[in-house]
Amino acid sequence: MVALTAVTTTTLAQGPRRQFRREAFTTQTPMVHDPVMAREGDTYYVFATGMGIQQMTSKDRLSWTVQPQPVMTVIPGWTTDSVPGFGNHVWAPDVIHWHGQWWMAYSCSTFGKNGSAIGLLSSRSLASGAWKDQGCIVTSREKRDNWNAIDPNFIIDAATDTPWLVWGSFWDGIQLARLDSTMHLAKGERPRTIARRYDPSYKPTEPNPTSRFAGTNAIEAPFIFRHGDYYYLFVSWDYCCRGAKSNYRVAVGRSKNVSGPYLDREGRDMAQGGGTLFLEGDKKQWEAAGHCAAYNFDGQDVFVCHGYSATQGGAAMLIQRNIQWTSDGWPLLATEAESKPVGRQDFVKGADVGFLTGQEHRGTVFHDRQGRQRDCLELLRNDYKMSALRMRVWVNPRGGSCDKYELLSMALRAKALGMDLMVDFHYSDSWADPAKQPIPQAWQGHNYDQMRQDLRQHTVDVLRLLKRYGVEPRWVQVGNETANGLLWDMGHAEKNPEQYAGFIATGYDAVKEVFPQAIVIVHLDRGHKQSLYDWNLDIVKKYGGKFDMVGMSLYPYWAMEGHPELKADDIITDCMANIRHVSQKYGCDVMIVETGFEVDEQHPEKMDEGRRQLSRVIKEAQTQTDGHCRGVFYWEPQCLPGGYKLGAFNSNAAPTAIMEAFAE
């Protein structure tokens, strides 16, 4: 029988309040036990075992600021009622974002006994630090249960969007159970064993050196990670918490279903003692390592655990390594040199959503692929790993569409979700693109010097408005698809190249005047055309223009229109080659700031093909550009069919298969 505790609605207002150190400190070698990691906006969080749950933050996964206050300064009163002897030292948390909020599970126990409980917290934002007590998920009782309710890990079934919880330590091993929408055990659900250290018929001769109650089934700390078509179950074998005497190590198996069975590389069921060794101490740097987690950050799979340092007397310290994959889909641990975090040089997935405000005003209601109503930005951020928005801004648009106030409104929404912002200055009252770059009506008749001042003043005004409301864009485009210049004819690149470069320089200086750290982008179309980029950027450089990054548009659909000899894959290949060329020639990074693929609901195979092409773009932008492509933005993915054909949503305002490329 599994005991449940009713949910409380108060925010951690029970139990004793404890005093904690008052000052944060920063280190690149944090001591930590049982770490899990999360990212919100540009900040990484580690939560770990400690009084009230230890927490630390980082902008780059290199330097960690250990926070003076734990997650829980007040421990819920139900914990000591459920677990006699529990002393507020909270073990092995896990954290996940699901359905618009963060959920944290944590362990209440006493060492070596299975009178334990797994508690639950919820929060709308990690940055807020405000967590609500949601009671108990599951308890275990001595002499009642042959398993131990500690070391929880959440996993979401991708096929059904159903949450599950996996947990366990010693006794009969690793347990799994389905949860309901409140993150408590689903009605009628009973735990089932999915992994053991040994075959049940095997009886080790050596006793457990840490507990006379737990037995010798030395397996714990499960973590399930989805990669490709499989769910991978990582577990820790043998004994932790003995400093330099620890012999912890990590094993893995996989299954195509969350519920298992999980088989190792030789086909042995982990429930019968199977498991492929993944990590163990080298006795030089680490005596042992375990209690792991795994994540995908910007296309890179990352393995996290604690290790017992061989040079620091067995102290438990944070380990981070990249995960590599064999050709048959098994994980390998990269070396430390191959795994060094690169900080803010992350790979960004984003969306241009300039039409979104108008869609919402017209009553469009967005849905996820399961048919649930969702806020569009929240859906893009949480289901499709988009960490940034791109918004265009016009000078004096008719009706206010795409003006600076609409930009501000969307920027504030992005900030609330922890998303970065790219501002795309068109320097026109309406669309500016390769076919047209019209001068704003209010600037017409001005000479070159006056128009440079117009451009500067407009740029500064818009950015100061954002700054006034606490919004700091990460990137700013000075012009949109300026393949042949901007502000025609005065800034036409072919007719007046020096003035074109002068406008770019003016825009650059105006951005830096307000936001010195912003990355200024020059944006051209036809990313597969190397000759275009050489011609245009040579002009910019020759006549004193400045930029920090080059933005590219990549649209195989438009490139092939009227050119039956061209193929989408060749266009993508040429674009990747051009990214390498531009980054080397001009000494800067590149970003694909616009792309899109055809939605045709009468021919679903076209969306499948679009997903394949987009998946290739995202993957090769990260792996085939020598590290110089910093991201991919989809132009107006939330557009519905019938208007713009290269959106990525269907007529029900729900994502098509194309969007799945961002979630891979």
Side-chain angles (χ1 to χ4, degrees):
M1 178 180 178
V2 178
L4 298 177
T5 299
V7 174
T8 61
T9 57
T10 57
T11 57
L12 303 181
Q14 310 173 52
R17 182 178 297 275
R18 302 186 61 85
Q19 297 297 317
F20 301 92
R21 65 175 180 273
R22 297 182 178 179
E23 294 185 359
F25 67 92
T26 300
T27 177
Q28 291 194 354
T29 56
M31 293 186 180
V32 70
H33 220 273
D34 312 329
V36 293
M37 195 174 290
R39 186 176 67 181
E40 183 179 69
D42 64 353
T43 303
Y44 295 90
Y45 295 78
V46 161
F47 302 100
T49 289
M51 301 302 292
I53 305 177
Q54 178 188 7
Q55 57 181 334
M56 59 185 74
T57 58
S58 176
K59 296 294 186 180
D60 57 11
R61 291 199 294 119
L62 290 169
S63 295
W64 290 93
T65 300
V66 181
Q67 300 299 324
Q69 296 294 325
V71 170
M72 295 187 289
T73 56
V74 179
I75 305 296
W78 67 261
T79 60
T80 51
D81 294 338
S82 297
V83 184
F86 173 59
N88 302 335
H89 189 252
V90 183
W91 299 350
D94 188 41
V95 65
I96 192 173
H97 193 277
W98 185 67
H99 284 196
Q101 63 182 326
W102 292 95
W103 303 90
M104 184 179 291
Y106 60 94
S107 310
C108 308
S109 190
T110 56
F111 197 84
K113 297 182 180 180
N114 73 327
S116 307
I118 295 174
L120 180 66
L121 306 173
S122 66
S123 178
R124 289 291 181 182
S125 167
L126 298 182
S128 72
W131 290 92
K132 180 182 291 186
D133 173 30
Q134 298 288 355
C136 178
I137 301 177
V138 62
T139 64
S140 56
R141 292 285 179 264
E142 296 179 67
K143 300 181 181 180
R144 185 194 73 181
D145 300 309
N146 192 28
W147 44 268
N148 194 9
I150 66 171
D151 296 356
N153 165 239
F154 295 113
I155 180 65
I156 306 300
D157 187 327
T160 62
D161 194 37
T162 301
W164 294 70
L165 189 74
V166 59
W167 73 89
S169 173
F170 286 80
W171 280 268
D172 195 35
I174 305 305
Q175 308 297 304
L176 178 74
R178 182 169 51 87
L179 304 180
D180 61 20
S181 61
T182 70
M183 288 297 204
H184 291 79
L185 289 193
K187 184 176 181 180
E189 187 73 4
R190 297 179 63 85
R192 77 289 305 265
T193 301
I194 61 170
R196 298 179 174 93
R197 177 66 176 91
Y198 303 108
D199 185 283
S201 64
Y202 176 71
K203 303 299 180 184
T205 56
E206 294 188 8
N208 182 335
T210 63
S211 170
R212 63 189 178 90
F213 303 105
T216 55
N217 187 31
I219 186 172
E220 62 184 11
F223 194 97
I224 298 177
F225 176 66
R226 180 173 174 244
H227 174 80
D229 295 331
Y230 287 94
Y231 296 89
Y232 291 81
L233 171 61
F234 293 92
V235 296
S236 293
W237 282 350
D238 301 334
Y239 299 96
C240 76
C241 314
R242 305 175 71 206
K245 294 182 179 180
S246 302
N247 62 347
Y248 234 15
R249 44 189 176 157
V250 176
V252 66
R254 71 184 187 184
S255 173
K256 289 197 171 183
N257 300 301
V258 170
S259 57
Y262 288 87
L263 308 181
D264 66 16
R265 200 165 187 177
E266 285 69 47
R268 297 172 298 177
D269 191 336
M270 294 182 75
Q272 306 303 316
T276 297
L277 188 64
F278 177 74
L279 168 67
E280 61 183 349
D282 59 6
K283 304 302 179 182
K284 296 178 181 178
Q285 186 177 10
W286 305 105
E287 296 287 355
H291 205 115
C292 67
Y295 306 95
N296 184 283
F297 294 129
D298 303 311
Q300 175 61 60
D301 295 330
V302 177
F303 179 86
V304 176
C305 69
H306 73 256
Y308 296 100
S309 173
T311 60
Q312 301 293 324
M317 306 183 77
L318 180 66
I319 295 176
Q320 302 178 74
R321 296 287 186 274
N322 290 349
I323 301 175
Q324 300 170 344
W325 297 92
T326 65
S327 59
D328 57 345
W330 285 94
L332 296 173
L333 201 64
T335 65
E336 184 174 10
E338 294 169 325
S339 304
K340 186 176 181 180
V342 293
R344 286 296 281 166
Q345 294 299 312
D346 51 326
F347 186 87
V348 178
K349 300 175 185 177
D352 186 306
V353 292
F355 288 136
L356 180 58
T357 299
Q359 289 177 283
E360 292 174 336
H361 286 169
R362 291 190 296 273
T364 301
V365 178
F366 293 92
H367 304 81
D368 60 23
R369 297 197 76 180
Q370 286 73 43
R372 293 183 296 260
Q373 290 188 13
R374 299 281 292 278
D375 174 80
C376 184
L377 296 189
E378 183 269 331
L379 177 63
L380 296 176
R381 177 69 180 92
N382 295 322
D383 288 26
Y384 296 103
K385 304 178 183 179
M386 290 186 167
S387 61
L389 292 185
R390 179 176 183 256
M391 285 291 295
R392 58 186 167 270
V393 60
W394 297 339
V395 179
N396 290 305
R398 181 178 300 176
S401 178
C402 297
D403 68 5
K404 61 184 180 181
Y405 300 107
E406 186 171 293
L407 166 66
L408 173 63
S409 176
M410 194 62 68
L412 291 171
R413 289 174 63 181
K415 182 181 178 181
L417 287 169
M419 301 177 80
D420 287 321
L421 174 68
M422 180 186 295
V423 177
D424 175 15
F425 281 97
H426 278 227
Y427 297 125
S428 65
D429 291 335
S430 185
W431 298 103
D433 53 44
K436 54 190 177 298
Q437 294 281 340
I439 293 174
Q441 185 175 3
W443 303 1
Q444 291 178 9
H446 292 183
N447 62 31
Y448 174 61
D449 289 338
Q450 289 174 316
M451 201 166 298
R452 288 185 69 176
Q453 181 58 27
D454 293 334
L455 187 152
R456 175 198 165 275
Q457 192 61 53
H458 170 64
T459 304
V460 168
D461 285 348
V462 170
L463 296 182
R464 282 179 177 167
L465 176 66
L466 296 179
K467 191 171 187 177
R468 192 180 314 142
Y469 285 86
V471 175
E472 182 171 353
R474 186 172 172 187
W475 313 270
V476 179
Q477 279 186 215
V478 287
N480 185 74
E481 292 189 324
T482 60
N484 210 5
L486 72 164
L487 298 169
W488 288 351
D489 280 340
M490 187 173 290
H492 196 285
E494 187 174 5
K495 298 176 181 177
N496 296 300
E498 188 170 354
Q499 293 180 170
Y500 164 54
F503 286 138
I504 295 296
T506 299
Y508 183 97
D509 290 340
V511 173
K512 298 296 186 177
E513 179 180 338
V514 183
F515 292 114
Q517 302 303 315
I519 297 169
V520 179
I521 297 175
V522 169
H523 172 211
L524 311 182
D525 63 305
R526 290 167 286 172
H528 62 294
K529 298 283 286 186
Q530 179 181 316
S531 59
L532 167 64
Y533 284 73
D534 284 343
W535 176 76
N536 185 289
L537 298 177
D538 282 353
I539 289 173
V540 174
K541 286 293 188 180
K542 178 179 179 180
Y543 294 108
K546 295 174 282 187
F547 54 87
D548 301 320
M549 178 181 282
V550 172
M552 292 183 177
S553 294
L554 172 60
Y555 291 105
Y557 180 91
W558 298 124
M560 292 187 297
E561 191 172 54
H563 296 278
E565 75 281 5
L566 296 180
K567 304 297 182 185
D569 282 313
D570 294 337
I571 292 166
I572 295 170
T573 297
D574 289 346
C575 182
M576 298 303 149
N578 194 27
I579 291 172
R580 294 191 296 271
H581 169 78
V582 167
S583 64
Q584 182 177 12
K585 180 175 180 179
Y586 299 101
C588 66
D589 286 334
V590 178
M591 185 176 285
I592 298 173
V593 298
E594 291 188 21
T595 194
F597 300 86
E598 184 181 10
V599 171
D600 185 342
E601 293 180 290
Q602 302 303 312
H603 297 90
E605 69 277 4
K606 291 187 179 180
M607 275 107 65
D608 292 336
E609 174 61 13
R611 174 183 177 175
R612 184 194 70 79
Q613 292 178 27
L614 179 57
S615 294
R616 184 187 166 201
V617 168
I618 294 171
K619 180 179 179 180
E620 293 191 8
Q622 297 173 80
T623 62
Q624 302 298 317
T625 62
D626 300 327
H628 289 295
C629 185
R630 303 313 321 154
V632 173
F633 281 70
Y634 201 105
W635 199 78
E636 304 287 0
Q638 82 289 348
C639 279
L640 311 188
Y644 177 62
K645 65 177 66 175
L646 302 189
F649 277 46
N650 62 27
S651 54
N652 293 320
T656 67
I658 295 170
M659 288 298 296
E660 295 304 307
F662 284 104
E664 292 174 352

